[in-house]
Short mmCIF file of all heavy atoms in Angstrom, two decimals:
data_model
loop_
_atom_site.label_atom_id
_atom_site.label_comp_id
_atom_site.label_asym_id
_atom_site.label_seq_id
_atom_site.Cartn_x
_atom_site.Cartn_y
_atom_site.Cartn_z
N LEU X 1 31.65 121.09 190.54
CA LEU X 1 31.94 120.15 189.46
C LEU X 1 31.18 120.50 188.18
O LEU X 1 31.74 120.39 187.09
CB LEU X 1 31.62 118.73 189.91
CG LEU X 1 32.49 118.21 191.06
CD1 LEU X 1 32.04 116.81 191.47
CD2 LEU X 1 33.96 118.24 190.71
N THR X 2 29.91 120.92 188.29
CA THR X 2 29.19 121.27 187.06
C THR X 2 29.85 122.46 186.38
O THR X 2 29.94 122.50 185.16
CB THR X 2 27.69 121.55 187.30
OG1 THR X 2 27.53 122.63 188.22
CG2 THR X 2 26.94 120.32 187.76
N ARG X 3 30.30 123.43 187.17
CA ARG X 3 31.02 124.58 186.58
C ARG X 3 32.27 124.11 185.83
O ARG X 3 32.56 124.57 184.73
CB ARG X 3 31.41 125.60 187.65
CG ARG X 3 30.33 126.58 188.00
CD ARG X 3 30.84 127.74 188.85
NE ARG X 3 31.54 127.31 190.06
CZ ARG X 3 30.95 127.08 191.22
NH1 ARG X 3 29.65 127.22 191.35
NH2 ARG X 3 31.65 126.71 192.27
N SER X 4 33.01 123.20 186.45
CA SER X 4 34.23 122.67 185.81
C SER X 4 33.90 121.93 184.52
O SER X 4 34.61 122.07 183.52
CB SER X 4 34.97 121.74 186.76
OG SER X 4 35.49 122.45 187.85
N ILE X 5 32.83 121.14 184.55
CA ILE X 5 32.43 120.39 183.36
C ILE X 5 32.03 121.34 182.24
O ILE X 5 32.48 121.20 181.10
CB ILE X 5 31.30 119.40 183.69
CG1 ILE X 5 31.79 118.30 184.64
CG2 ILE X 5 30.72 118.79 182.40
CD1 ILE X 5 30.67 117.47 185.26
N VAL X 6 31.18 122.31 182.56
CA VAL X 6 30.73 123.25 181.54
C VAL X 6 31.92 124.05 181.00
O VAL X 6 32.02 124.26 179.78
CB VAL X 6 29.62 124.18 182.09
CG1 VAL X 6 29.32 125.32 181.13
CG2 VAL X 6 28.35 123.36 182.36
N ASP X 7 32.84 124.46 181.87
CA ASP X 7 34.04 125.18 181.40
C ASP X 7 34.86 124.29 180.47
O ASP X 7 35.35 124.76 179.44
CB ASP X 7 34.90 125.63 182.59
CG ASP X 7 34.29 126.76 183.37
OD1 ASP X 7 33.30 127.37 182.90
OD2 ASP X 7 34.79 127.03 184.49
N GLN X 8 35.01 123.01 180.81
CA GLN X 8 35.76 122.06 179.97
C GLN X 8 35.09 121.92 178.61
O GLN X 8 35.75 121.95 177.58
CB GLN X 8 35.85 120.69 180.66
CG GLN X 8 36.37 119.56 179.81
CD GLN X 8 37.87 119.58 179.60
OE1 GLN X 8 38.58 120.36 180.23
NE2 GLN X 8 38.36 118.76 178.70
N LEU X 9 33.77 121.77 178.61
CA LEU X 9 33.05 121.61 177.35
C LEU X 9 33.16 122.87 176.49
O LEU X 9 33.41 122.79 175.29
CB LEU X 9 31.57 121.30 177.62
CG LEU X 9 31.26 120.04 178.43
CD1 LEU X 9 29.75 119.90 178.59
CD2 LEU X 9 31.85 118.81 177.81
N ALA X 10 32.97 124.02 177.11
CA ALA X 10 33.01 125.28 176.36
C ALA X 10 34.41 125.55 175.81
O ALA X 10 34.56 125.99 174.67
CB ALA X 10 32.54 126.43 177.25
N SER X 11 35.44 125.26 176.61
CA SER X 11 36.81 125.51 176.14
C SER X 11 37.22 124.54 175.04
O SER X 11 38.13 124.83 174.26
CB SER X 11 37.80 125.43 177.31
OG SER X 11 37.94 124.10 177.76
N SER X 12 36.56 123.41 174.98
CA SER X 12 36.85 122.42 173.92
C SER X 12 35.97 122.65 172.70
O SER X 12 35.96 121.82 171.80
CB SER X 12 36.62 121.01 174.46
OG SER X 12 37.44 120.76 175.55
N ASN X 13 35.23 123.75 172.70
CA ASN X 13 34.32 124.09 171.61
C ASN X 13 33.24 123.03 171.40
O ASN X 13 32.79 122.82 170.29
CB ASN X 13 35.09 124.35 170.31
CG ASN X 13 35.97 125.56 170.43
OD1 ASN X 13 35.56 126.55 171.00
ND2 ASN X 13 37.18 125.45 169.93
N TRP X 14 32.84 122.36 172.47
CA TRP X 14 31.75 121.39 172.36
C TRP X 14 30.42 122.12 172.32
O TRP X 14 29.44 121.59 171.86
CB TRP X 14 31.71 120.45 173.54
CG TRP X 14 32.87 119.54 173.69
CD1 TRP X 14 34.07 119.60 173.07
CD2 TRP X 14 32.93 118.42 174.55
NE1 TRP X 14 34.88 118.58 173.50
CE2 TRP X 14 34.20 117.85 174.41
CE3 TRP X 14 32.04 117.86 175.45
CZ2 TRP X 14 34.59 116.74 175.11
CZ3 TRP X 14 32.43 116.75 176.15
CH2 TRP X 14 33.69 116.19 175.98
N GLY X 15 30.39 123.28 172.91
CA GLY X 15 29.12 123.98 173.02
C GLY X 15 29.21 125.41 172.57
O GLY X 15 30.10 126.14 172.99
N ALA X 16 28.33 125.79 171.70
CA ALA X 16 28.29 127.17 171.24
C ALA X 16 27.52 128.03 172.23
O ALA X 16 27.79 129.20 172.39
CB ALA X 16 27.65 127.24 169.86
N SER X 17 26.54 127.43 172.92
CA SER X 17 25.76 128.20 173.88
C SER X 17 25.47 127.34 175.11
O SER X 17 25.43 126.12 175.04
CB SER X 17 24.45 128.68 173.26
OG SER X 17 23.62 127.58 172.95
N VAL X 18 25.29 128.03 176.23
CA VAL X 18 25.01 127.35 177.50
C VAL X 18 23.74 127.96 178.08
O VAL X 18 23.64 129.18 178.24
CB VAL X 18 26.17 127.52 178.50
CG1 VAL X 18 25.82 126.86 179.83
CG2 VAL X 18 27.47 126.95 177.94
N ALA X 19 22.79 127.11 178.41
CA ALA X 19 21.60 127.52 179.15
C ALA X 19 21.74 126.96 180.56
O ALA X 19 22.09 125.79 180.73
CB ALA X 19 20.34 126.97 178.49
N HIS X 20 21.53 127.79 181.57
CA HIS X 20 21.70 127.36 182.96
C HIS X 20 20.35 127.42 183.67
O HIS X 20 19.63 128.41 183.56
CB HIS X 20 22.71 128.26 183.68
CG HIS X 20 22.99 127.84 185.08
ND1 HIS X 20 22.82 128.67 186.15
CD2 HIS X 20 23.43 126.66 185.59
CE1 HIS X 20 23.14 128.03 187.27
NE2 HIS X 20 23.51 126.81 186.94
N ARG X 21 20.04 126.35 184.37
CA ARG X 21 18.82 126.31 185.18
C ARG X 21 19.24 125.92 186.59
O ARG X 21 19.80 124.84 186.80
CB ARG X 21 17.81 125.31 184.63
CG ARG X 21 16.50 125.29 185.43
CD ARG X 21 15.46 124.38 184.81
NE ARG X 21 14.83 124.97 183.65
CZ ARG X 21 13.77 125.77 183.69
NH1 ARG X 21 13.24 126.11 184.85
NH2 ARG X 21 13.24 126.23 182.57
N ASP X 22 18.98 126.79 187.56
CA ASP X 22 19.31 126.55 188.95
C ASP X 22 18.02 126.16 189.68
O ASP X 22 17.18 127.02 189.96
CB ASP X 22 19.93 127.81 189.56
CG ASP X 22 20.46 127.58 190.96
OD1 ASP X 22 19.94 126.70 191.68
OD2 ASP X 22 21.41 128.29 191.34
N LEU X 23 17.89 124.89 189.96
CA LEU X 23 16.65 124.36 190.54
C LEU X 23 16.51 124.68 192.02
O LEU X 23 15.41 124.55 192.56
CB LEU X 23 16.58 122.86 190.31
CG LEU X 23 16.57 122.43 188.85
CD1 LEU X 23 16.70 120.91 188.73
CD2 LEU X 23 15.31 122.92 188.15
N ALA X 24 17.59 125.10 192.68
CA ALA X 24 17.49 125.53 194.08
C ALA X 24 17.08 127.00 194.15
O ALA X 24 16.24 127.37 194.97
CB ALA X 24 18.79 125.29 194.81
N ALA X 25 17.65 127.83 193.29
CA ALA X 25 17.32 129.26 193.29
C ALA X 25 15.93 129.52 192.71
O ALA X 25 15.24 130.45 193.13
CB ALA X 25 18.37 130.03 192.51
N ALA X 26 15.55 128.73 191.72
CA ALA X 26 14.24 128.88 191.08
C ALA X 26 13.60 127.49 190.97
O ALA X 26 13.55 126.90 189.89
CB ALA X 26 14.38 129.52 189.70
N PRO X 27 13.12 126.97 192.11
CA PRO X 27 12.59 125.60 192.10
C PRO X 27 11.31 125.47 191.29
O PRO X 27 10.49 126.39 191.23
CB PRO X 27 12.34 125.29 193.57
CG PRO X 27 12.31 126.60 194.27
CD PRO X 27 13.06 127.58 193.43
N LEU X 28 11.20 124.32 190.67
CA LEU X 28 9.95 123.98 189.98
C LEU X 28 8.99 123.42 191.02
O LEU X 28 9.42 122.69 191.92
CB LEU X 28 10.21 122.92 188.91
CG LEU X 28 11.14 123.34 187.78
CD1 LEU X 28 11.58 122.12 186.98
CD2 LEU X 28 10.46 124.36 186.88
N PRO X 29 7.72 123.71 190.90
CA PRO X 29 6.78 123.10 191.85
C PRO X 29 6.67 121.59 191.58
O PRO X 29 7.02 121.12 190.50
CB PRO X 29 5.45 123.80 191.55
CG PRO X 29 5.60 124.35 190.17
CD PRO X 29 7.07 124.58 189.94
N HIS X 30 6.20 120.88 192.57
CA HIS X 30 5.96 119.46 192.35
C HIS X 30 4.98 119.31 191.20
O HIS X 30 4.17 120.19 190.92
CB HIS X 30 5.43 118.79 193.63
CG HIS X 30 6.48 118.69 194.68
ND1 HIS X 30 7.52 117.80 194.63
CD2 HIS X 30 6.67 119.41 195.81
CE1 HIS X 30 8.30 117.95 195.67
NE2 HIS X 30 7.81 118.93 196.40
N LEU X 31 5.08 118.19 190.54
CA LEU X 31 4.31 117.98 189.33
C LEU X 31 2.81 117.93 189.59
O LEU X 31 2.34 117.25 190.50
CB LEU X 31 4.76 116.67 188.66
CG LEU X 31 4.27 116.45 187.25
CD1 LEU X 31 4.79 117.52 186.31
CD2 LEU X 31 4.72 115.08 186.76
N THR X 32 2.08 118.69 188.80
CA THR X 32 0.63 118.66 188.77
C THR X 32 0.23 118.53 187.31
O THR X 32 1.07 118.71 186.42
CB THR X 32 0.02 119.96 189.34
OG1 THR X 32 0.43 121.04 188.50
CG2 THR X 32 0.43 120.19 190.78
N LEU X 33 -1.01 118.25 187.04
CA LEU X 33 -1.47 118.15 185.66
C LEU X 33 -1.26 119.48 184.93
O LEU X 33 -0.80 119.49 183.79
CB LEU X 33 -2.95 117.74 185.61
CG LEU X 33 -3.50 117.42 184.23
CD1 LEU X 33 -2.67 116.33 183.55
CD2 LEU X 33 -4.95 117.01 184.32
#
């Protein structure tokens, strides 16, 4: 669904650029100070 949404937005010229963050492939550690 996110791929479909981003494709819809990009094809409608809503977005000039797309930044992708995959939190499963590159997880952030739990929050620390």
